Amino acid sequence: MPIQYYLFLSMALFCIGIMGTLMRRNAIIIFMCIEMMLNAVNLLLVAFSKMYGDSSAQIFVFFNMVVAAAEVAVGLAIIVMMYRKVHSVDINILNRLKH
């Protein structure tokens, strides 16, 4: 499969992630959009790794996914604690947590 398909898919996923992050106020959706952007970059790294025949980027992506899994656990825990505190996942309500 040509590298252009991977580039286009990665660019589309990254753009969708940016739009979702900037346009939505729900913390869970913003979190998913950030993860989508991270996975778009991972896809691009794997595509270039395959194109150049070097597997070091694939190993880097593997470790990146492990760190992302830990990030998801911490992020979801923060969102759950925020929901327990203010009964909403709207990020505009986060100003209430200052008091």
Side-chain angles (χ1 to χ4, degrees):
M1 188 177 293
I3 190 76
Q4 291 85 8
Y5 295 154
Y6 294 111
L7 291 174
F8 180 74
L9 178 63
S10 177
M11 184 178 67
L13 287 174
F14 196 82
C15 289
I16 290 170
I18 286 176
M19 295 299 288
T21 302
L22 295 177
M23 296 175 88
R24 300 300 298 256
R25 300 288 101 198
N26 188 332
I28 294 174
I29 292 176
I30 291 172
F31 196 64
M32 288 188 330
C33 289
I34 291 171
E35 291 298 320
M36 184 183 297
M37 288 189 290
L38 179 67
N39 284 326
V41 172
N42 286 340
L43 176 66
L44 195 63
L45 279 172
V46 170
F48 280 121
S49 172
K50 184 178 178 184
M51 186 175 87
Y52 290 114
D54 185 17
S55 64
S56 60
Q58 293 177 8
I59 295 169
F60 179 73
V61 166
F62 176 74
F63 286 114
N64 196 8
M65 290 176 81
V66 170
V67 171
E71 172 199 334
V72 166
V74 172
L76 287 177
I78 290 171
I79 290 172
V80 167
M81 293 305 293
M82 183 180 88
Y83 183 77
R84 286 182 183 172
K85 180 77 175 174
V86 295
H87 299 288
S88 176
V89 290
D90 189 6
I91 61 168
N92 291 329
I93 300 178
L94 287 178
N95 287 333
R96 290 185 190 171
L97 296 177
K98 292 179 182 176
H99 306 289

